[in-house]
Amino acid sequence: MPMRFPLSLAAVLPACVLALSACSSVAPVNGAGATAVAPAAAQDVRQLGEIVDLRSGKRVTAEQLLAQLAVAPRVIVGEQHDQLSHHQIEQWLLQQLQGQRPQGSVLLEMLNPDQQAKVDKVKPWLQTDPVVRPEHVAELVAWQPGWKWAQYGDLVMTVMRAPYPVWSANLDRSEIKQMFIDKPAVQGKHSNLANDGKVHAKLKDIIRIMHDNQIDEPRLAAMLSVQQQRDRRMAERLLAAPAPAVLIAGAYHAHKDLGVPLHVQDLTGGPVPLVLVLAQQGAAVQAPQADFVWFTPVVAPAVASAK
């Protein structure tokens, strides 16, 4: 259900964070007759859906995709946050990539800067292979309830037990609160209004849709500012992280024509990272947005709301 903005800033801040997360997702195909598909087990993800190289328009295998990702110094994986199969694919990709070459680092949109010290403290302990409940690890790193642990737990445990560093890629809530007030603009010809306003216009349209067009211009401007500042932070962190680096974030953050790749261009003037978008079958993902798309089966909601 689309979310509407409340009026007070105290109420707006949590909604702002959640709404931007929703904006990060590729919208699933609509269809009353969609069949529920059980998420695949991690070992079966290679047979889950289909993968398309958007640069050539050809289907590729999971192994062929891995070969492309393995030689890229920086990769962005864009997900739909509420799709368990996407997190299973991410977990499988990271396990397989580590087997092909040493992984430099993994960055997560789901981690804020104020969690980094906790992650850095817990990680060496987990590498000693202690017996520990995953839920206890979630407590130790102050995992945020807005990112459902049932969805992310296995992925997080995989990267936390791995030898490479795990970096936060988001903004702290205090930063978001101040940006919502100040509405700072990013600087760069690829990501701001100097780019004919196209990026801003597209992002505003997405935010309006996610709020059922029930959002006024001041709040729309604030949400746009926060969204682009989050993209800029992700780009800065990705560029600073040990390579080869993989950033996992919402799909709109990953899009080459809207998100982090534009900010990488602003900051370096160089080539953009390789982009893989995970999307449900029927979603519109095109070559200007990603290098590869992995289409997963449509998963119907577990509980349908009755109205």
Side-chain angles (χ1 to χ4, degrees):
M1 178 181 294
M3 291 174 282
R4 293 178 173 83
F5 248 170
L7 295 178
S8 70
L9 180 59
V12 162
L13 183 57
C16 177
V17 176
L18 292 175
L20 285 171
S21 299
C23 284
S24 310
S25 303
V26 176
V29 61
N30 292 323
T35 302
V37 179
Q43 63 267 25
D44 297 327
V45 297
R46 288 176 297 175
Q47 285 76 46
L48 187 65
E50 64 175 355
I51 308 168
V52 179
D53 184 338
L54 294 172
R55 301 166 300 182
S56 65
K58 296 180 179 179
R59 290 184 60 176
V60 298
T61 66
E63 287 75 13
Q64 289 171 326
L65 172 64
L66 275 171
Q68 293 287 320
L69 300 183
V71 297
R74 296 182 182 89
V75 173
I76 304 176
V77 181
E79 64 171 34
Q80 187 170 333
H81 295 312
D82 60 0
Q83 293 298 299
L84 179 59
S85 63
H86 292 187
H87 310 137
Q88 292 171 332
I89 289 171
E90 291 159 350
Q91 181 183 9
W92 182 82
L93 286 172
L94 290 171
Q95 290 170 334
Q96 298 303 311
L97 285 172
Q98 178 67 12
Q100 295 196 16
R101 84 288 187 271
Q103 182 68 39
S105 58
V106 168
L107 301 93
L108 299 178
E109 176 194 354
M110 305 82 204
L111 289 174
N112 293 351
D114 59 9
Q115 295 172 271
Q116 188 66 61
K118 297 179 177 68
V119 169
D120 293 344
K121 181 178 180 179
V122 172
K123 216 173 181 312
W125 171 63
L126 283 177
Q127 289 171 45
T128 67
D129 201 26
V131 177
V132 58
R133 291 183 302 107
E135 293 77 14
H136 183 52
V137 174
E139 295 171 359
L140 292 175
V141 301
W143 187 259
Q144 301 168 85
W147 307 103
K148 301 300 183 184
W149 186 252
Q151 292 270 344
Y152 285 97
D154 288 345
L155 171 64
V156 173
M157 291 302 295
T158 293
V159 299
M160 287 295 291
R161 287 188 180 273
Y164 47 77
V166 174
W167 281 27
S168 65
N170 213 328
L171 301 167
D172 278 330
R173 288 173 58 85
S174 59
E175 294 178 287
I176 292 175
K177 182 176 180 179
Q178 193 60 47
M179 289 172 184
F180 197 87
I181 297 171
D182 297 338
K183 306 177 184 64
V186 297
Q187 301 299 317
K189 68 177 183 179
H190 296 284
S191 57
N192 68 9
L193 287 173
N195 192 17
D196 298 325
K198 293 178 181 177
V199 175
H200 282 197
K202 289 179 182 178
L203 285 173
K204 284 184 176 181
D205 285 344
I206 292 167
I207 295 169
R208 288 191 188 98
I209 291 170
M210 295 307 301
H211 291 81
D212 199 25
N213 291 311
Q214 302 298 310
I215 182 170
D216 58 32
E217 284 301 317
R219 288 177 290 185
L220 179 60
M223 294 247 349
L224 172 65
S225 175
V226 171
Q227 181 77 351
Q228 287 212 296
Q229 292 294 339
R230 291 176 76 205
D231 287 338
R232 178 57 61 92
R233 172 64 57 81
M234 291 182 199
E236 291 170 344
R237 295 289 282 172
L238 181 59
L239 290 170
V246 174
L247 166 65
I248 294 175
Y252 285 139
H253 292 298
H255 279 187
K256 295 167 68 175
D257 62 341
L258 288 178
V260 177
L262 296 177
H263 296 262
V264 170
Q265 286 183 291
D266 283 342
L267 294 169
T268 69
V272 300
L274 195 69
V275 174
L276 164 65
V277 165
L278 310 177
Q280 291 192 74
Q281 289 172 343
V285 184
Q286 301 173 347
Q289 299 167 320
D291 299 296
F292 295 90
V293 59
W294 189 323
F295 289 110
T296 59
V298 176
V299 179
V303 179
S305 58
K307 287 194 175 181

